[in-house]
Coordinates of all heavy atoms in Angstrom, one line a residue:
D102 N 115.9 -170.7 -16.6 CA 114.8 -171.1 -15.6 C 115.1 -172.5 -15.0 O 114.9 -172.6 -13.8 CB 113.5 -171.3 -16.4 CG 112.7 -169.9 -16.5 OD1 113.2 -168.9 -15.9 OD2 111.7 -169.9 -17.1
V103 N 115.6 -173.4 -15.7 CA 115.9 -174.7 -15.1 C 116.9 -174.5 -14.0 O 116.8 -175.1 -12.9 CB 116.5 -175.7 -16.2 CG1 116.8 -177.0 -15.5 CG2 115.5 -175.9 -17.3
L104 N 117.9 -173.7 -14.2 CA 119.0 -173.5 -13.2 C 118.4 -172.7 -12.0 O 118.6 -173.0 -10.8 CB 120.1 -172.7 -13.8 CG 121.0 -173.5 -14.7 CD1 121.9 -172.6 -15.5 CD2 121.9 -174.5 -13.9
R105 N 117.5 -171.7 -12.3 CA 116.9 -170.9 -11.2 C 116.0 -171.8 -10.3 O 116.2 -171.8 -9.1 CB 116.0 -169.8 -11.9 CG 115.4 -168.8 -11.0 CD 114.7 -167.7 -11.8 NE 115.6 -166.9 -12.5 CZ 115.6 -166.7 -13.8 NH1 114.8 -167.4 -14.6 NH2 116.5 -165.9 -14.4
F106 N 115.2 -172.6 -11.0 CA 114.2 -173.5 -10.2 C 115.0 -174.6 -9.5 O 114.6 -175.0 -8.4 CB 113.1 -174.1 -11.1 CG 112.3 -173.0 -11.8 CD1 111.7 -173.3 -13.0 CD2 112.1 -171.8 -11.2 CE1 110.9 -172.3 -13.6 CE2 111.3 -170.8 -11.8 CZ 110.7 -171.1 -13.0
S107 N 116.0 -175.1 -10.1 CA 116.8 -176.2 -9.4 C 117.5 -175.6 -8.2 O 117.7 -176.3 -7.2 CB 117.8 -176.8 -10.4 OG 117.1 -177.4 -11.5
A108 N 118.0 -174.4 -8.3 CA 118.7 -173.7 -7.2 C 117.7 -173.6 -6.0 O 118.0 -173.9 -4.9 CB 119.2 -172.4 -7.6
M109 N 116.4 -173.2 -6.4 CA 115.4 -173.1 -5.3 C 115.1 -174.4 -4.7 O 115.0 -174.6 -3.5 CB 114.1 -172.6 -6.0 CG 114.1 -171.1 -6.3 SD 112.8 -170.7 -7.6 CE 111.3 -171.1 -6.7
E110 N 115.1 -175.5 -5.5 CA 114.8 -176.8 -5.0 C 115.9 -177.3 -4.1 O 115.7 -178.1 -3.2 CB 114.5 -177.8 -6.1 CG 113.2 -177.7 -6.7 CD 112.1 -177.9 -5.7 OE1 111.9 -179.0 -5.2 OE2 111.3 -176.9 -5.5
A111 N 117.2 -176.9 -4.4 CA 118.3 -177.3 -3.6 C 118.1 -176.8 -2.1 O 118.5 -177.5 -1.2 CB 119.6 -176.8 -4.1
L112 N 117.4 -175.7 -2.0 CA 117.2 -175.2 -0.6 C 116.0 -175.8 0.1 O 115.8 -175.7 1.3 CB 117.0 -173.6 -0.7 CG 118.2 -172.8 -1.1 CD1 117.9 -171.3 -1.2 CD2 119.4 -173.1 -0.2
R113 N 115.1 -176.3 -0.7 CA 113.8 -176.8 -0.2 C 113.9 -178.2 0.4 O 114.2 -179.1 -0.4 CB 112.7 -176.7 -1.3 CG 111.3 -176.8 -0.7 CD 110.3 -176.5 -1.8 NE 110.3 -177.6 -2.8 CZ 109.5 -178.7 -2.6 NH1 108.8 -178.8 -1.6 NH2 109.5 -179.6 -3.5
D114 N 113.6 -178.4 1.6 CA 113.6 -179.7 2.2 C 112.2 -180.3 2.1 O 111.3 -179.7 2.7 CB 114.0 -179.6 3.7 CG 114.2 -181.0 4.3 OD1 113.7 -182.0 3.8 OD2 114.9 -181.1 5.3
D115 N 112.0 -181.4 1.4 CA 110.6 -181.9 1.3 C 110.4 -183.1 2.3 O 109.5 -183.9 2.1 CB 110.3 -182.4 -0.2 CG 111.1 -183.6 -0.6 OD1 112.0 -184.0 0.2 OD2 110.8 -184.2 -1.6
G116 N 111.3 -183.1 3.3 CA 111.1 -184.2 4.3 C 109.8 -184.1 5.0 O 109.2 -183.0 5.1
Q117 N 109.3 -185.2 5.4 CA 108.0 -185.3 6.1 C 108.1 -185.8 7.5 O 109.1 -186.5 7.8 CB 107.0 -186.1 5.3 CG 106.7 -185.5 3.9 CD 105.8 -186.5 3.1 OE1 106.0 -187.7 3.1 NE2 104.9 -185.9 2.4
V118 N 107.1 -185.5 8.3 CA 107.1 -185.9 9.7 C 105.8 -186.7 9.9 O 104.8 -186.3 9.5 CB 107.1 -184.7 10.7 CG1 107.1 -185.2 12.1 CG2 108.4 -183.9 10.4
Y119 N 106.0 -187.9 10.5 CA 104.8 -188.8 10.9 C 104.9 -189.1 12.4 O 105.9 -189.4 12.9 CB 104.9 -190.1 10.1 CG 104.8 -190.0 8.6 CD1 105.9 -189.7 7.9 CD2 103.6 -190.3 7.9 CE1 105.9 -189.6 6.5 CE2 103.6 -190.2 6.6 CZ 104.7 -189.9 5.8 OH 104.7 -189.8 4.5
S120 N 103.7 -189.0 13.0 CA 103.7 -189.4 14.4 C 103.6 -190.9 14.5 O 103.0 -191.6 13.7 CB 102.4 -188.8 15.1 OG 102.5 -187.4 15.1
G121 N 104.3 -191.4 15.5 CA 104.3 -192.9 15.7 C 103.1 -193.4 16.5 O 102.8 -194.6 16.5
D122 N 102.4 -192.6 17.3 CA 101.4 -193.1 18.2 C 100.0 -193.0 17.7 O 99.1 -192.5 18.4 CB 101.6 -192.3 19.6 CG 101.4 -190.8 19.4 OD1 101.3 -190.4 18.2 OD2 101.3 -190.1 20.4
I123 N 99.9 -193.3 16.4 CA 98.6 -193.1 15.8 C 97.7 -194.3 15.7 O 96.6 -194.3 15.1 CB 98.7 -192.5 14.3 CG1 99.6 -193.5 13.5 CG2 99.3 -191.1 14.3 CD1 99.6 -193.1 12.0
S124 N 98.1 -195.4 16.3 CA 97.2 -196.6 16.4 C 97.6 -197.4 17.6 O 98.7 -197.2 18.2 CB 97.4 -197.4 15.0 OG 98.4 -198.5 15.2
P125 N 96.8 -198.4 17.9 CA 97.1 -199.3 19.0 C 98.5 -200.0 18.8 O 99.1 -200.5 19.7 CB 96.0 -200.3 19.1 CG 94.9 -199.7 18.3 CD 95.5 -198.8 17.3
N126 N 98.8 -200.1 17.5 CA 100.1 -200.8 17.2 C 101.3 -199.8 17.2 O 102.4 -200.2 16.9 CB 100.0 -201.4 15.8 CG 98.8 -202.3 15.7 OD1 98.6 -203.1 16.6 ND2 98.0 -202.2 14.6
G127 N 101.0 -198.6 17.4 CA 102.1 -197.6 17.4 C 102.8 -197.4 18.7 O 102.6 -198.2 19.6
K128 N 103.6 -196.4 18.7 CA 104.5 -196.1 19.9 C 104.7 -194.6 20.0 O 104.5 -193.9 19.0 CB 105.8 -196.7 19.7 CG 106.0 -198.1 20.1 CD 107.4 -198.5 20.1 CE 107.6 -199.9 20.6 NZ 108.9 -200.4 20.3
A129 N 105.2 -194.2 21.1 CA 105.5 -192.7 21.2 C 106.9 -192.5 20.5 O 107.9 -192.5 21.1 CB 105.6 -192.4 22.7
R130 N 106.8 -192.4 19.2 CA 108.0 -192.2 18.4 C 107.6 -191.2 17.3 O 106.4 -191.0 17.0 CB 108.5 -193.5 17.8 CG 108.9 -194.5 18.8 CD 109.4 -195.8 18.1 NE 110.6 -195.6 17.2 CZ 111.9 -195.5 17.6 NH1 112.1 -195.6 18.9 NH2 112.9 -195.4 16.8
R131 N 108.6 -190.7 16.6 CA 108.3 -189.9 15.5 C 109.1 -190.4 14.3 O 110.2 -190.9 14.5 CB 108.8 -188.5 15.8 CG 107.9 -187.5 15.2 CD 107.8 -186.2 16.0 NE 106.4 -186.0 16.2 CZ 105.8 -184.8 16.2 NH1 106.5 -183.7 16.1 NH2 104.5 -184.7 16.4
I132 N 108.6 -190.2 13.1 CA 109.3 -190.6 11.9 C 109.6 -189.4 11.1 O 108.7 -188.6 10.9 CB 108.3 -191.6 11.1 CG1 108.1 -192.9 11.9 CG2 108.9 -191.9 9.7 CD1 106.9 -193.7 11.4
I133 N 110.8 -189.3 10.6 CA 111.1 -188.2 9.6 C 111.7 -188.8 8.4 O 112.3 -189.9 8.4 CB 112.1 -187.1 10.2 CG1 113.4 -187.8 10.7 CG2 111.4 -186.3 11.3 CD1 114.4 -186.8 11.1
T134 N 111.4 -188.2 7.2 CA 112.0 -188.7 6.0 C 113.0 -187.6 5.5 O 112.9 -186.4 5.7 CB 111.0 -188.9 4.9 OG1 110.4 -187.6 4.6 CG2 109.8 -189.8 5.3
Q135 N 114.1 -188.2 4.9 CA 115.0 -187.3 4.3 C 115.5 -187.8 2.9 O 115.6 -189.1 2.8 CB 116.2 -187.0 5.2 CG 117.1 -188.3 5.4 CD 118.2 -187.9 6.3 OE1 118.1 -187.3 7.4 NE2 119.4 -188.3 5.9
R136 N 115.8 -187.0 2.0 CA 116.3 -187.4 0.7 C 117.8 -187.6 0.7 O 118.5 -186.7 1.2 CB 116.0 -186.4 -0.4 CG 114.5 -186.4 -0.7 CD 114.1 -185.9 -2.0 NE 112.7 -186.2 -2.2 CZ 112.2 -187.3 -2.7 NH1 113.1 -188.2 -3.3 NH2 111.0 -187.5 -2.8
E137 N 118.3 -188.7 0.1 CA 119.7 -188.9 0.0 C 120.1 -189.1 -1.5 O 119.3 -189.6 -2.3 CB 120.1 -190.2 0.8 CG 119.9 -190.0 2.2 CD 120.4 -191.1 3.1 OE1 120.7 -192.2 2.6 OE2 120.5 -190.8 4.3
P138 N 121.3 -188.6 -1.9 CA 121.7 -188.8 -3.3 C 121.9 -190.2 -3.7 O 122.2 -191.1 -2.8 CB 123.0 -188.0 -3.3 CG 123.4 -187.5 -2.0 CD 122.3 -188.0 -1.0
L139 N 121.9 -190.5 -5.0 CA 122.3 -191.8 -5.5 C 123.8 -191.8 -5.7 O 124.5 -190.8 -5.7 CB 121.6 -192.0 -6.9 CG 120.1 -191.8 -6.9 CD1 119.6 -192.0 -8.4 CD2 119.4 -192.7 -6.0
A140 N 124.3 -193.0 -5.8 CA 125.8 -193.2 -6.0 C 126.2 -192.6 -7.3 O 127.3 -192.0 -7.5 CB 126.2 -194.6 -5.8
C141 N 125.4 -192.9 -8.4 CA 125.8 -192.5 -9.7 C 124.6 -192.6 -10.7 O 123.9 -193.6 -10.6 CB 126.9 -193.4 -10.2 SG 127.4 -193.1 -11.9
A142 N 124.4 -191.6 -11.4 CA 123.3 -191.6 -12.5 C 123.9 -191.5 -13.8 O 124.9 -190.7 -14.0 CB 122.3 -190.5 -12.2
A143 N 123.4 -192.2 -14.8 CA 123.8 -192.0 -16.2 C 122.7 -191.2 -16.9 O 121.5 -191.5 -16.8 CB 124.0 -193.4 -16.9
C144 N 123.1 -190.2 -17.6 CA 122.2 -189.4 -18.4 C 122.5 -189.4 -19.9 O 123.7 -189.2 -20.3 CB 122.2 -187.9 -17.9 SG 121.7 -187.7 -16.2
I145 N 121.5 -189.8 -20.7 CA 121.8 -190.0 -22.1 C 120.8 -189.1 -22.8 O 119.5 -189.2 -22.6 CB 121.6 -191.4 -22.5 CG1 122.5 -192.3 -21.7 CG2 121.8 -191.6 -24.0 CD1 122.3 -193.8 -21.9
T146 N 121.3 -188.2 -23.7 CA 120.4 -187.1 -24.2 C 120.4 -187.0 -25.7 O 121.3 -187.4 -26.4 CB 120.9 -185.8 -23.6 OG1 122.2 -185.6 -23.9 CG2 120.6 -185.7 -22.1
P147 N 119.3 -186.4 -26.3 CA 119.1 -186.4 -27.7 C 119.7 -185.0 -28.3 O 120.2 -184.2 -27.6 CB 117.6 -186.4 -27.9 CG 117.1 -185.6 -26.7 CD 118.1 -185.9 -25.6
F148 N 119.5 -184.9 -29.6 CA 120.1 -183.7 -30.3 C 119.2 -182.5 -30.3 O 119.7 -181.4 -30.5 CB 120.4 -184.1 -31.8 CG 119.2 -184.3 -32.6 CD1 118.5 -183.2 -33.1 CD2 118.7 -185.6 -32.9 CE1 117.3 -183.4 -33.9 CE2 117.6 -185.7 -33.6 CZ 116.9 -184.7 -34.1
N149 N 117.9 -182.6 -30.1 CA 117.0 -181.6 -30.5 C 117.0 -180.3 -29.6 O 116.6 -179.3 -30.1 CB 115.6 -182.1 -30.7 CG 115.0 -182.7 -29.5 OD1 115.6 -183.5 -28.8 ND2 113.8 -182.3 -29.1
H150 N 117.3 -180.5 -28.3 CA 117.4 -179.4 -27.4 C 118.8 -179.7 -26.7 O 118.7 -180.1 -25.5 CB 116.3 -179.3 -26.4 CG 115.0 -178.7 -27.0 ND1 115.0 -177.4 -27.5 CD2 113.8 -179.1 -27.1 CE1 113.8 -177.1 -27.9 NE2 113.0 -178.2 -27.7
P151 N 119.9 -179.4 -27.3 CA 121.1 -179.9 -26.7 C 121.6 -179.3 -25.4 O 122.5 -179.8 -24.7 CB 122.2 -179.7 -27.8 CG 121.6 -178.6 -28.7 CD 120.1 -178.7 -28.6

Side-chain angles (χ1 to χ4, degrees):
D102 273 354
V103 178
L104 287 165
R105 187 175 289 119
F106 298 153
S107 297
M109 287 160 59
E110 282 304 292
L112 294 180
R113 194 173 70 85
D114 187 341
D115 73 349
Q117 293 176 318
V118 180
Y119 297 80
S120 296
D122 58 350
I123 57 168
S124 98
N126 307 312
K128 273 189 180 168
R130 295 181 65 80
R131 212 147 236 217
I132 295 164
I133 55 172
T134 64
Q135 67 178 51
R136 288 202 172 269
E137 296 190 343
L139 307 178
C141 176
C144 297
I145 304 173
T146 53
F148 68 80
N149 62 311
H150 282 299

